[in-house]
Amino acid sequence: MITNLTIVMYHYVRDVGRTRFPGIKARSVPTFQGQLDYLRRHYRLISPAELAQAVRDPSYRLPSPAALLTFDDGYSDHHETVFPILADLGLTGIFAPVAKAILEGSVLAVNKIHFVLSAMQDRLGEVVNELFSLLDGYRQAYQLDSNQAYWDRLAQPNRFDPAEIIFLKRMLQRDLPEELRSLLTDELFRKYVTADERAFAAELYMNLDQLREMSAAGMGIASHGYDHYWLATLTEPQQADQIRKGLDFLNQVTNTQPSWMFTYPYGSHNPALLSLARQAGCIAGFTTEVAIAHSPHDPLLLPRLDTNDLPTAGDTAPNDWTIKATSNVP
Ligand SMILES: [Zn+2]
């Protein structure tokens, strides 16, 4: 039974100032270590095996409050930085790499956008103008609106990002036709980041050997689908295909997967996907709903906090999420 489990989600963990892309939003190494220190003071960190047992066995009780670490998208940060830190502390976590990025050496569209924005962070106006001129070439074929109409509709700054970033993200992640989105993202990535996508992918993501090494050391490896699609937007046969190809990939990492875990890309899922996953032996699924997991949660719909929802120094006073978890102690 799952009781009072705080699952924390991480993406990049790196000291961005020392990389070629200082604009990437990442958890720095000292704040990652500080957060682990905080978590170890206030929670019992559980292993993937303990989660599996809690899901299978209604009489098995997790320690309370419990926490579990999850790392999405298979960045090489996870092997280089996270893995040794966890191993030193005798901790484990669940890592969810994207099969296609690793098997085909391609960079995820969402990562391409991050790196374009980071490379051009002081010249975002130039990227917007470049996008406009690319759109001029496709306007007729795709029956697009005018550049001004898109800008007026989408360029709304929020408390985290300026108008240009919001505009570029909305256009390239959501509003343009899907085929055109990936075409334009590729063009911008080639122009502003690199023409050698394969070399960039090899640097950005872990490889199979590294995943095997981590799995052998007790780290959990979860499926994150094959293509990193929004799974709820797919047809059932397409969903089944993502599940099957994701599992084929897991089998290359860990040989046998009698039971497996699923991290839904973007947290996107629907009832059809859950039932296909369950039929295929999935025992736990991670969403991006922000909450603490309790037994009424379907184990295929486990919520997660973002790393930014918790303090990053061991001596910080418990924040609201921790007070909530601590007061749940039976
Ligand atoms: Zn992801």
Side-chain angles (χ1 to χ4, degrees):
M1 180 164 64
I2 291 177
T3 45
N4 197 16
L5 173 61
T6 298
I7 305 171
V8 192
M9 169 174 69
Y10 295 89
H11 287 89
Y12 300 103
V13 181
R14 51 168 70 182
D15 287 326
V16 288
R18 292 163 53 191
T19 70
R20 285 179 290 143
F21 299 94
I24 288 291
K25 283 183 183 163
R27 168 65 57 238
S28 73
V29 177
T31 60
F32 176 63
Q33 287 170 313
Q35 187 156 84
L36 287 182
D37 189 12
Y38 176 89
L39 288 166
R40 291 166 78 219
R41 287 186 198 209
H42 298 287
Y43 302 81
R44 240 296 308 284
L45 283 156
I46 65 161
S47 66
E50 282 173 287
L51 174 66
Q53 193 173 356
V55 167
R56 275 200 214 96
D57 179 356
S59 67
Y60 180 81
R61 292 189 78 85
L62 290 174
S64 181
L68 172 69
L69 308 170
T70 65
F71 301 86
D72 289 13
D73 297 341
Y75 299 118
S76 33
D77 306 4
H78 300 166
H79 181 265
E80 263 164 45
T81 306
V82 173
F83 176 40
I85 292 174
L86 295 187
D88 264 357
L89 296 169
L91 298 174
T92 52
I94 295 179
F95 296 81
V98 180
K100 184 181 182 181
I102 290 166
L103 296 180
E104 298 182 28
S106 57
V107 177
L108 300 183
V110 58
N111 292 146
K112 284 181 179 163
I113 297 168
H114 292 162
F115 286 99
V116 167
L117 296 177
S118 164
M120 296 296 289
Q121 59 179 336
D122 301 320
R123 292 180 293 156
L124 291 169
E126 257 179 66
V127 186
V128 172
N129 285 330
E130 177 65 18
L131 178 62
F132 282 157
S133 77
L134 290 169
L135 289 173
D136 292 341
Y138 292 106
R139 180 154 291 104
Q140 216 148 23
Y142 286 89
Q143 301 185 317
L144 303 175
D145 293 343
S146 72
N147 291 337
Q148 190 64 43
Y150 283 121
W151 178 261
D152 291 344
R153 189 160 75 235
L154 301 173
Q156 318 287 345
N158 67 17
R159 70 196 166 102
F160 302 113
D161 287 317
E164 287 85 358
I165 288 194
I166 301 289
F167 176 73
L168 289 164
K169 283 189 174 172
R170 294 272 186 274
M171 289 291 274
L172 296 170
Q173 290 180 340
R174 196 188 71 185
D175 277 54
L176 292 169
E178 183 165 354
E179 184 187 279
L180 185 56
R181 289 199 313 247
S182 79
L183 224 140
L184 295 170
T185 302
D186 285 353
E187 295 248 17
L188 296 174
F189 183 74
R190 253 196 309 276
K191 181 173 172 105
Y192 296 120
V193 183
T194 178
D196 192 347
E197 179 170 344
R198 187 166 275 276
F200 195 88
E203 203 180 306
L204 181 59
Y205 306 111
M206 290 185 275
N207 61 39
L208 271 175
D209 285 338
Q210 293 169 333
L211 285 165
R212 288 177 182 133
E213 181 192 352
M214 288 166 61
S215 169
M219 302 295 157
I221 312 295
S223 178
H224 201 32
Y226 190 84
D227 293 89
H228 207 259
Y229 288 150
W230 292 76
L231 295 173
T233 67
L234 303 184
T235 64
E236 283 189 44
Q238 290 170 327
Q239 291 177 334
D241 189 53
Q242 288 295 308
I243 290 173
R244 186 182 50 76
K245 285 159 73 184
L247 272 179
D248 287 347
F249 172 71
L250 278 191
N251 284 330
Q252 289 191 52
V253 176
T254 63
N255 293 320
T256 50
Q257 287 288 332
S259 59
W260 55 284
M261 302 185 191
F262 204 167
T263 304
Y264 313 117
Y266 312 99
S268 170
H269 58 81
N270 62 9
L273 177 79
L274 299 188
S275 103
L276 288 167
R278 227 182 295 271
Q279 283 163 33
C282 178
I283 57 162
F286 303 105
T287 70
T288 50
E289 183 204 345
V290 183
I292 298 171
H294 285 285
S295 50
H297 270 102
D298 181 337
L300 264 62
L301 289 176
L302 297 172
R304 294 188 288 174
L305 303 189
D306 187 81
T307 172
N308 293 310
D309 292 318
L310 291 166
T312 53
D315 53 6
T316 311
N319 81 345
D320 287 351
W321 285 111
T322 305
I323 291 168
K324 206 169 162 186
T326 313
S327 61
N328 272 331
V329 175

